[in-house]
Amino acid sequence: MTALLDSAALDQAGDTGTTLVRLIRAEFMKIRTTDTGWLFLTGFIVFTAIALTINGFGHHYQLYPQHGLVSPAQAVAQAAQARTPAGVAAMAASMMTSGQRIAVMFALLLGVLVVTSEFANQTAAVTFVTVPRRATVIMAKVAAAACCGALFWLVATVLAAVATPLFLYSQHVSTSLAGWMVARSVLLNLLAFVAWGVFGLGLGAVLRSQLVAVIAAIAVYAGSFGTELIFTALYNVFHQGWMLGAPVIGPAVASEVMTTSGPAFPYAPPGWVGGVIIIGYTVALVAGGIALTKRRDVI
């Protein structure tokens, strides 16, 4: 990601086409020809494989409850519920999105690095001299971050599409992966990966410092889940009903509300609310990043 826009990366992007198209091609060239992008992809594949394995064991114990942990009656009821058409479909949807809660952080952090690497390696000045339209440069990076998020989703979906039917067959249950519940989860998973990739890009453009932006990205994502504890404590004091659904204002909670089939937590708002919130945060960060990049020095 440290290649200059007037280097081989831009030359190989082609001599024709608009500036934005050439910039996008150059961004892809940077990601493809540096170790960082490949390390992220390798780590993501390993993480997804582990998540699929853990998720598979969890669902196995749903289908075959351990009698030592629950009563025989509870075991029969739990297994019967898991084997209903709705239960199997939910299980397939869960397998197809295994590890999504943490996996989107790969897209988030890579999005941060796409923009902050320019400043960390002091190549931003050359970039903006080569292409003075700073908004165009940022939008090219937005496109690259969105595509990286989509690539992570594609890799995870392909791995899950291979593993899920094999798992279901081994457990003597079956369902169509083209069913609406499964397809909805997979498509919303794509939206989550793209949104978090662009979210990271916007955060990096606003903060500019690579170290600060990476720390902030992790803090924002992990800290979002603390909103549930905060608003639960506030509800216990003030007893205002709206506080039970208010944790959705946390970006990571909003993403989970958007992608979860059914309520992500008690009194959670509908999924579209989470989608509007996470997209709103993403758009605001990108707009803020463009505005700040236009106004401040790049060195």
Side-chain angles (χ1 to χ4, degrees), residues 38-50:
W38 291 106
L39 287 172
F40 266 78
L41 183 59
T42 301
F44 180 78
I45 291 172
V46 172
F47 173 82
T48 301
I50 293 172

Side-chain angles (χ1 to χ4, degrees), residues 51-145:
L52 280 165
T53 302
I54 294 173
N55 209 11
F57 276 111
H59 290 309
H60 170 77
Y61 290 119
Q62 278 185 282
L63 293 166
Y64 302 97
Q66 299 299 295
H67 294 285
L69 300 178
V70 296
S71 67
Q74 288 177 315
V76 171
Q78 180 179 318
Q81 176 62 32
R83 291 176 180 278
T84 62
V88 176
M91 190 179 302
S94 174
M95 288 292 294
M96 288 296 297
T97 57
S98 292
Q100 182 263 356
R101 190 176 197 181
I102 298 176
V104 292
M105 289 192 67
F106 284 86
L108 170 64
L109 294 176
L110 187 57
V112 169
L113 296 180
V114 165
V115 65
T116 57
S117 61
E118 293 271 16
F119 298 103
N121 294 287
Q122 299 182 340
T123 62
V126 176
T127 297
F128 292 124
V129 167
T130 305
V131 184
R133 295 185 297 278
R134 298 185 181 186
T136 302
V137 175
I138 297 300
M139 290 310 299
K141 293 181 181 296
V142 166

Side-chain angles (χ1 to χ4, degrees), residues 60-247:
H60 170 77
Y61 290 119
Q62 278 185 282
L63 293 166
Y64 302 97
Q66 299 299 295
H67 294 285
L69 300 178
V70 296
S71 67
Q74 288 177 315
V76 171
Q78 180 179 318
Q81 176 62 32
R83 291 176 180 278
T84 62
V88 176
M91 190 179 302
S94 174
M95 288 292 294
M96 288 296 297
T97 57
S98 292
Q100 182 263 356
R101 190 176 197 181
I102 298 176
V104 292
M105 289 192 67
F106 284 86
L108 170 64
L109 294 176
L110 187 57
V112 169
L113 296 180
V114 165
V115 65
T116 57
S117 61
E118 293 271 16
F119 298 103
N121 294 287
Q122 299 182 340
T123 62
V126 176
T127 297
F128 292 124
V129 167
T130 305
V131 184
R133 295 185 297 278
R134 298 185 181 186
T136 302
V137 175
I138 297 300
M139 290 310 299
K141 293 181 181 296
V142 166
C147 289
C148 286
L151 176 62
F152 284 134
W153 168 85
L154 179 61
V155 170
T157 301
V158 169
L159 291 174
V162 172
T164 300
L166 294 175
F167 167 77
L168 295 176
Y169 178 79
S170 71
Q171 304 302 303
H172 309 291
V173 294
S174 64
T175 189
S176 172
L177 297 186
W180 172 240
M181 180 180 290
V182 179
R184 175 185 179 277
S185 296
V186 171
L187 292 174
L188 289 176
N189 204 30
L190 169 60
L191 180 57
F193 272 98
V194 171
W196 280 110
V198 179
F199 186 104
L201 186 286
L203 186 63
V206 169
L207 298 178
R208 193 163 66 172
S209 168
Q210 189 168 87
L211 179 61
V212 171
V214 168
I215 293 173
I218 295 172
V220 167
Y221 191 85
S224 293
F225 295 107
T227 57
E228 295 183 48
L229 297 176
I230 293 171
F231 281 104
T232 298
L234 290 174
Y235 174 77
N236 291 333
V237 175
F238 298 104
H239 303 290
Q240 298 294 314
W242 62 268
M243 292 180 178
L244 295 174

